[in-house]
């Protein structure tokens, strides 16, 4: 991609993240970030589609990002953004009021789900798991489609088995791992961010954010890095 196509791609991803709708040249023109004609935008979108970064769902006039585009995008936002000061303060309160490590991790997961707007899972060890934020996930418009909803439900039914496998694949405590595409046991439309941690009696823990591919990867990468630091202290 050239520099203009990269800016277009970033805006397409942002608009799709926030609206859950396919993005067309009109929406890009109206965002006020491009001083080029609608015809030029349409040509650029067509080129990005031909290169595999975008696809047209059904007969929609707009396009949506593909897995290829998200792989590219995540590499551009891999450092994430720090949680806001207010978000950091609310996370820090949890540390002061929860002395039991297992309860602390469960409350941390709930707060992470509230802050990210996604689902969150925790593995405390083999076949000892917890998940929260399902309302966040199933309220997404894409989950109104029966096939996607069924895929996610089936994965959650097997969450213990899935997390058992992921625990062996989990990165070092210094790294946030991204899971998507063929590697995602939650389905091709879903992705996850996860970190390994050791805390008190929890010797082989894993915590992660689970969402649709269009979730806010930049924000959630920053949240996971912040949570990683909290769990290491």
């Amino acid at each position: 991609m050239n520099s203009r196509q990269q800016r277009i791609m970033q805006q397409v991803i942002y608009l799709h993240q926030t609206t859950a709708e396919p993005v067309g040249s009109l929406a890009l023109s109206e965002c006020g970030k491009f001083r080029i004609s609608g015809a030029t935008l349409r040509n650029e979108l067509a080129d990005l589609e031909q290169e595999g970064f975008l696809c047209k769902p059904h007969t929609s006039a707009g396009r949506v990002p593909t897995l290829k585009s998200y792989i590219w995008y995540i590499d551009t936002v891999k450092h994430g953004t720090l949680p806001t000061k207010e978000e950091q303060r609310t996370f820090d309160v949890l540390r002061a009021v929860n002395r039991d490590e297992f309860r602390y991790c469960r409350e941390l997961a709930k707060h992470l789900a509230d802050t990210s707007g996604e689902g969150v899972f925790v593995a405390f060890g083999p076949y000892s798991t917890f998940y929260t934020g399902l309302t966040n996930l199933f309220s997404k418009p894409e989950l109104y489609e029966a096939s996607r909803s069924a895929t996610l439900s089936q994965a959650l039914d097997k969450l213990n088995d899935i997390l058992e496998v992921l625990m062996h694949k989990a990165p070092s405590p210094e790294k946030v791992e991204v899971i998507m595409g063929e590697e995602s046991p939650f389905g091709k439309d879903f992705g996850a961010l996860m970190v390994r941690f050791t805390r008190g009696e929890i010797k082989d823990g894993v915590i992660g954010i689970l969402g649709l591919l269009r979730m806010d990867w930049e924000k959630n990468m920053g949240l996971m890095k912040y949570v990683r630091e909290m769990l290491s202290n």
Side-chain angles (χ1 to χ4, degrees):
M1 282 188 286
N2 59 41
S3 59
R4 183 166 71 186
Q5 288 176 328
Q6 288 179 26
R7 290 189 295 111
I8 290 172
M9 196 69 250
Q10 288 172 335
Q11 191 63 20
V12 169
I13 289 174
Y14 170 75
L15 290 172
H16 186 57
Q17 280 176 344
T18 54
T19 67
E21 295 290 337
V23 180
S25 58
L26 180 59
L28 289 172
S29 296
E30 291 177 343
C31 76
K33 294 185 179 293
F34 303 102
R35 296 182 178 180
I36 53 179
S37 68
T40 300
L41 281 171
R42 286 192 292 274
N43 289 337
E44 293 285 27
L45 291 173
D47 288 344
L48 287 167
E49 182 180 2
Q50 188 171 11
E51 293 169 14
F53 289 100
L54 297 173
C55 66
K56 275 191 173 184
H58 312 301
T59 58
S60 169
R63 294 171 172 87
V64 297
T66 63
L67 177 62
K68 182 178 179 179
S69 67
Y70 282 114
I71 292 172
W72 165 81
Y73 176 69
I74 288 168
D75 188 56
T76 70
V77 300
K78 59 187 175 184
H79 299 295
T81 55
L82 273 176
T84 65
K85 294 296 184 182
E86 180 60 30
E87 288 170 343
Q88 291 181 37
R89 281 193 292 269
T90 55
F91 273 113
D92 292 341
V93 167
L94 298 176
R95 185 170 14 216
V97 300
N98 290 285
R99 300 299 180 186
D100 176 85
E101 301 296 354
F102 292 91
R103 179 179 177 185
Y104 172 68
C105 290
R106 287 192 292 269
E107 292 301 317
L108 182 61
K110 291 177 184 177
H111 196 69
L112 185 57
D114 290 340
T115 307
S116 67
E118 308 293 348
V120 174
F121 56 82
V122 185
F124 302 107
Y127 292 93
S128 176
T129 60
F130 172 80
Y131 58 87
T132 185
L134 294 191
T135 301
N136 295 335
L137 285 177
F138 284 100
S139 64
K140 311 286 186 187
E142 292 93 332
L143 270 296
Y144 299 161
E145 186 178 309
S147 61
R148 284 197 181 103
S149 181
T151 297
L152 181 58
S153 297
Q154 289 165 7
L156 293 173
D157 284 342
K158 298 185 292 185
L159 187 64
N160 279 326
D161 295 325
I162 287 173
L163 293 187
E164 174 72 5
V165 173
L166 292 181
M167 284 171 67
H168 295 295
K169 294 182 178 179
S172 68
E174 292 76 33
K175 183 182 178 183
V176 178
E177 183 174 3
V178 174
I179 302 170
M180 59 165 46
E182 296 300 323
E183 297 179 358
S184 174
F186 302 103
K188 63 181 180 62
D189 297 309
F190 302 91
L193 293 156
M194 56 182 276
V195 295
R196 180 190 297 170
F197 67 93
T198 299
R199 188 178 178 88
E201 297 179 27
I202 306 170
K203 303 303 181 185
D204 198 15
V206 172
I207 186 168
I209 293 175
L210 169 63
L212 289 159
L213 284 180
R214 70 173 176 87
M215 70 175 167
D216 191 336
W217 290 95
E218 186 172 17
K219 175 181 179 178
N220 292 340
M221 179 66 77
L223 284 171
M224 289 303 298
K225 288 184 175 182
Y226 193 77
V227 165
R228 180 191 62 194
E229 294 302 317
M230 290 187 68
L231 288 170
S232 66
N233 295 326

